[in-house]
Amino acid sequence: MTRWRPLPDAQGPGPRSVADSLDRVAASLGVPRASTLTTVFSAWPELVGASVAERATPRRLEGTVLHVSVEEPAWATQLRWLEADLLRRLEEVVGPGAVTAIEVRVRAPGGP
């Protein structure tokens, strides 16, 4: 039977928050922290404004690239034009290096 050993950054046995546990698992898998995902997706309307948020939806954070889908090509152009500003806002909210690029795609009619 394998003896239990804490991970190197573990704070020892005892209760810890689910968010901390998810962040540790995410770090071990090399994916964005759960808290980063939660913050990006929940703060999206405040980051981009209500009118843009109605037409542009964050879909996933792959590494440090935020993938966003839009309804129409004009909105894709608008978000690409605003990318530097959006990245600055994201950095203020989630910290430096969490999101370094935004990839915008026009979703197919009737698509997610």
Side-chain angles (χ1 to χ4, degrees), residues 11-84:
Q11 301 167 355
R16 67 178 55 122
S17 73
V18 172
D20 288 344
S21 297
L22 288 173
D23 283 344
R24 286 181 56 227
V25 170
S28 72
L29 296 172
V31 297
R33 296 169 47 119
S35 58
T36 299
L37 293 172
T38 301
T39 302
V40 168
F41 285 81
S42 66
W44 183 251
E46 291 81 30
L47 290 167
V48 299
S51 63
V52 175
E54 288 177 15
R55 294 163 181 89
T57 306
R59 293 296 179 187
R60 68 183 186 278
L61 183 58
E62 191 173 314
T64 61
V65 178
L66 179 62
H67 294 262
V68 177
S69 67
V70 296
E71 298 174 347
E72 301 171 9
W75 283 103
T77 302
Q78 180 72 12
L79 258 72
R80 289 180 187 120
W81 187 75
L82 293 171
E83 182 177 9

Side-chain angles (χ1 to χ4, degrees), residues 95-108:
V99 180
T100 59
I102 299 172
E103 181 70 34
V104 183
R105 300 274 186 221
V106 179
R107 64 179 164 250

